[in-house]
Amino acid sequence: MTSNREIHLASRPEGWPTDDNFRLVETDVPTPGPGQIVVRNQYMSVDPYMRGRMNDVKSYVAPYALDAPLDGAAIGEVVASESADVAVGATVLHGLGWREYALLDATAARPVDPTVAPASAYLGVLGMTGLTAYAGLLEVAAMKPGETVFVSAAAGAVGSLVGQIAKLKGAGRVVGSAGSPAKVERLRALGFDAAFDYHDGPVRDSLRAAAPDGVDVYFDNVGGDHLEAAISAMNLHGRAAICGMIAQYNATEPPAAPRNLALVIGKRLTLRGFLVNDHNDVRSAFVSDVAGWLRDGTLSYDETIVDGIENAPAAFLGLLRGENLGKMLVRV
């Protein structure tokens, strides 16, 4: 192949992104220089945090540049190498998704074994997604056996793993919220003790019914009314791991909630934001635990796969609309 297709950011979204914010561009397949490799991407990840990078604002990661390819986690096969450390044919995990062929320094790629698990799993349950769930629940929120855990966006890539890990680590009760009856049923099949569709009424009321004795740990992927409901439901010394706030990523006005932050004082709550890269020290424990659970069948994971690099923007927009079950991936 001599042609390489990649997705560029054509313009910065105002509110919800549209197809017009993206452009499919054809370029030449790159040639590696000394110490570099070329990877033919097989799968790429689309993730909620990417919406923030489309804005030209200072954040924990640099914004995407206009008229340049986006990037993100991807996995693929090395098809050309000028590195003694990474051979042609190796399967590697790296950060240059949104394109068919990626040119990168060999030191920026992490070889993985596709015979241990499907390649796509390294972008989800065995990758950043899984580590986010594991570290957020056990390190940031410090869940203890017997506690009640509430997870928002619980049918998503991270949330569905949080709920299962909580049960495997001895949680007394696990409650999840999701955006459709089918997703609620999936959560129950995954072992959640209770689940509700947040469209059915105020989250505060649904959570109170699902966790009548209160919540000890809240894993937040949504923010807004979910965070407000969790604060109201949390018991003394409750802890919240703030992973994401997808409810306001496309908002053009300040969020209406939470309006009850004063409760944090009397309840002595801990609300702690985190980034997964701060918790690489638990990666070995994470891999050991998750690999064992996958082997014995006690942990399940879902994937929603969209085919074709040209459909990567549609996959990303679908993710923001909640059309995915589990991890949203593009099969390049």
Side-chain angles (χ1 to χ4, degrees):
M1 293 290 292
T2 59
S3 177
N4 175 38
R5 294 184 299 166
E6 52 193 30
I7 303 295
H8 289 204
L9 185 65
S11 58
R12 299 199 184 279
E14 296 183 8
W16 283 85
T18 68
D19 290 334
D20 293 337
N21 297 127
F22 305 91
R23 182 180 299 118
L24 180 65
V25 176
E26 189 168 312
T27 65
D28 294 332
V29 174
T31 300
Q36 293 183 318
I37 59 175
V38 174
V39 180
R40 171 65 168 97
N41 284 334
Q42 297 167 331
Y43 292 91
M44 56 163 275
S45 175
V46 292
D47 300 285
Y49 82 88
M50 294 174 174
R51 175 60 186 88
R53 294 189 65 191
M54 294 175 186
N55 299 328
D56 189 12
V57 296
K58 185 176 181 180
S59 185
Y60 62 88
V61 62
Y64 291 126
L66 288 175
D67 301 313
L70 294 89
D71 59 62
I75 194 166
E77 180 184 356
V78 177
V79 294
S81 176
E82 291 296 329
S83 167
D85 299 320
V86 182
V88 170
T91 299
V92 297
L93 187 67
H94 62 91
L96 292 182
W98 293 86
R99 67 204 77 188
E100 291 177 319
Y101 291 86
L103 172 68
L104 62 151
D105 291 340
T107 55
R110 180 163 65 90
V112 299
D113 187 350
T115 66
V116 172
S120 60
Y122 290 99
L123 293 173
V125 64
L126 286 172
M128 181 181 72
T129 300
L131 182 58
T132 299
Y134 188 93
L137 177 69
L138 302 178
E139 295 292 307
V140 178
M143 188 209 82
K144 304 180 187 68
E147 292 189 318
T148 296
V149 177
F150 171 46
V151 188
S152 56
V158 173
S160 59
L161 297 177
V162 171
Q164 293 181 84
I165 293 170
K167 294 297 289 185
L168 288 164
K169 289 291 187 177
R173 185 170 180 81
V174 176
V175 176
S177 72
S180 73
K183 289 182 177 181
V184 167
E185 286 305 309
R186 180 56 180 158
L187 294 181
R188 291 175 177 146
L190 290 175
F192 282 66
D193 296 290
F196 61 87
D197 184 341
Y198 62 81
H199 295 109
D200 287 346
V203 177
R204 178 189 64 250
D205 297 342
S206 296
L207 180 57
R208 185 182 298 119
D213 295 325
V215 170
D216 302 297
V217 168
Y218 172 46
F219 196 104
D220 189 16
N221 293 303
V222 174
D225 59 349
H226 278 74
L227 179 56
E228 180 174 285
I231 290 171
S232 290
M234 288 174 81
N235 297 321
L236 287 177
H237 303 292
R239 290 92 61 207
I242 312 297
C243 177
M245 293 193 174
I246 197 169
Q248 62 196 61
Y249 287 167
N250 300 303
T252 56
E253 299 292 334
R259 296 160 294 187
N260 57 348
L261 283 173
L263 292 176
V264 171
I265 302 168
K267 292 186 175 187
R268 283 85 92 195
L269 304 180
T270 299
L271 311 183
R272 182 180 169 190
F274 74 101
L275 299 177
V276 64
N277 289 338
D278 294 336
H279 298 277
N280 284 317
D281 58 316
V282 301
R283 183 178 292 276
S284 60
F286 154 70
V287 171
S288 176
D289 277 348
V290 171
W293 293 329
L294 290 174
R295 277 195 303 269
D296 65 22
T298 55
L299 183 70
S300 301
Y301 64 95
D302 294 312
E303 295 176 332
T304 300
I305 297 177
V306 174
D307 282 309
I309 188 67
E310 68 277 9
N311 294 316
F316 175 69
L317 298 179
L319 172 76
L320 295 181
R321 292 191 294 264
E323 295 174 358
N324 58 300
L325 185 64
K327 182 69 178 174
M328 178 72 92
L329 296 169
V330 176
R331 184 159 40 209
V332 179

